[in-house]
Amino acid sequence: MQRIKNRDTKMDIQEKISLERKTERSSEVDLPNILKYIKEGILIVGGDLRVITANDTALEIFSQADAEIDGKRLADLVRNPKIHKAFKRAIKKDRSSELKVELVRSKNRIFEIKVDPVQTKDEKQAIGIFYEITQVEHLEKVRQEFL
């Protein structure tokens, strides 16, 4: 019986060591470097509704390709109330949102946006993923006209 307990204890220790190693590796992840390879726009906002980080696609979406947006208020970046409400809902009410928005900049672009709450050890944050569907919407409109 003692031998079985020792074997179980040994397994527990090995599992804990393995878990600690995974945790160490995941904390070493370079988030900005990973984000630059994602095609969709990624925007991470803190509890104060200030931008924590964004990938290059998000910078381009918000016409900020050459600007530093970390620390900017969300309201200074985008003036769409639906987007503001989705980020606030994620942070204040811990609720996800999905919305479809047309952003008017140099050209009209349509996005499906998914905003989710994220809890870090320091604060509650929200991550928004911007999927551009402008071309899909255009093709659907052409298809409807054709029928």
Side-chain angles (χ1 to χ4, degrees), residues 86 89 96-100 113-115:
R89 183 181 298 127
S96 298
S97 299
E98 291 184 29
L99 54 148
K100 185 173 166 182
I113 305 169
K114 174 92 166 103
V115 180

Side-chain angles (χ1 to χ4, degrees), residues 25-63:
R25 282 193 300 255
S26 68
S27 66
E28 295 170 3
V29 171
D30 182 11
L31 184 62
N33 196 31
I34 291 171
L35 291 179
K36 74 180 180 181
Y37 294 105
I38 298 175
K39 183 176 125 179
E40 288 77 20
I42 307 289
L43 182 66
I44 301 174
V45 174
D48 58 357
L49 294 176
R50 290 188 179 274
V51 176
I52 293 172
T53 192
N55 68 352
D56 292 343
T57 305
L59 295 176
E60 186 266 326
I61 289 169
F62 299 116
S63 302

Side-chain angles (χ1 to χ4, degrees), residues 54-85:
N55 68 352
D56 292 343
T57 305
L59 295 176
E60 186 266 326
I61 289 169
F62 299 116
S63 302
Q64 301 287 321
D66 298 324
E68 179 65 37
I69 67 167
D70 293 359
K72 272 191 176 180
R73 294 178 331 141
L74 182 61
D76 294 337
L77 194 61
V78 62
R79 301 251 185 241
N80 188 300
K82 288 182 182 178
I83 294 174
H84 291 238
K85 186 184 265 186

